Amino acid sequence: MSSVFASRRAALLLVAAAGFFLLAPSHAHAQWWKRAPVDFEGCADTAEKAATKAEKTAALAECNAKFAGRRKAGGGYTYYDFLQDRTFDIAGPNPTPEEQKKIDESYTAYLANQRRSNLAAEAAARQQREQQEQQLQQVALRSEVERVPVPVERPKVQQAVAGDARPRPKGAPCAKGSFSCEWPRLSESLNDLKKLFNPTPSKPAKKS
């Protein structure tokens, strides 16, 4: 009886040992599939195996939040900063504290450049507005000058003065009603009036 019991016990131990060795590889294989991804690309590959589209979308969002860098073809990783619209080379799947410091310093310089560019653009726009206002003022001034009537020169016939009112030679053409034509007749009338009021004294008769 003791020998039979011992042989059965040995057989059970042998079966248990065989089952352990058979199960060990499958267990190790399952652990390999459950290993955490080391970067975004590995995480995205795992997310692609999700059962539903909603689970896949949620898994990709988690990968994006967990890993900031993206794998480069030649090795290493790159980080894209959307605030600067610029990429930075980094060593791992996420920036180190030193790398993050350089990225922040670059962003500070970027903001300063943007501020200078905005000030220069505002100054250029202000100068352009001033030039346009000056041009409008010049156009308005020219319009005002054009609306002012220009003095018209009087006809030469009406510019005769008293000193030039001499009797015209006989037979010379004379404008009717002009001062130069009327003046001789006025002079004769004045002379007749003078003779009327100031008669010439008669000369005494000579004694024989």
Side-chain angles (χ1 to χ4, degrees):
M1 289 290 296
S2 59
S3 60
V4 174
F5 180 76
S7 61
R8 289 182 62 184
R9 184 178 180 183
L12 290 174
L13 291 174
L14 182 61
V15 172
F20 175 78
F21 285 111
L22 290 174
L23 293 174
S26 61
H27 181 72
H29 184 74
Q31 288 295 328
W32 180 82
W33 279 109
K34 292 180 180 180
R35 186 178 60 181
V38 296
D39 55 16
F40 176 81
E41 286 71 18
C43 185
D45 291 340
T46 303
E48 289 291 338
K49 298 178 178 63
T52 64
K53 185 177 180 180
E55 292 177 354
K56 178 181 176 181
T57 302
L60 286 174
E62 185 178 355
C63 294
N64 190 54
K66 187 175 182 180
F67 300 104
R70 298 294 183 267
R71 192 186 301 169
K72 293 172 61 177
Y77 295 86
T78 182
Y79 171 78
Y80 173 72
D81 187 0
F82 69 93
L83 294 175
Q84 306 179 58
D85 191 19
R86 177 184 172 186
T87 57
F88 297 87
D89 290 335
I90 55 178
N94 286 307
T96 63
E98 186 64 25
E99 290 170 343
Q100 188 64 51
K101 181 180 178 182
K102 291 181 179 180
I103 293 172
D104 294 340
E105 291 174 352
S106 176
Y107 181 63
T108 301
Y110 170 81
L111 290 178
N113 291 332
Q114 286 291 104
R115 190 178 299 108
R116 285 192 294 267
S117 299
N118 292 338
L119 291 175
E122 291 176 0
R126 183 168 56 254
Q127 184 177 4
Q128 185 177 5
R129 287 196 302 269
E130 292 175 355
Q131 291 177 354
Q132 292 177 350
E133 291 175 358
Q134 290 177 358
Q135 292 175 356
L136 292 175
Q137 290 176 358
Q138 292 175 359
V139 171
L141 183 60
R142 285 197 297 267
S143 301
E144 290 293 334
V145 172
E146 291 175 356
R147 283 199 292 268
V148 175
V150 179
V152 180
E153 185 179 2
R154 296 178 61 189
K156 294 183 179 180
V157 177
Q158 299 179 3
Q159 292 181 356
V161 293
D164 294 334
R166 297 186 297 272
R168 289 179 176 272
K170 291 182 179 181
C174 179
K176 184 178 180 181
S178 63
F179 182 76
S180 58
C181 289
E182 298 294 336
W183 175 251
R185 286 180 291 184
L186 292 174
S187 298
E188 292 177 359
S189 299
L190 290 174
N191 291 332
D192 293 340
L193 291 173
K194 288 180 180 179
K195 290 178 182 179
L196 182 63
F197 289 101
N198 296 313
T200 305
S202 60
K203 293 182 181 180
K206 292 182 181 181
K207 294 178 181 183
S208 56

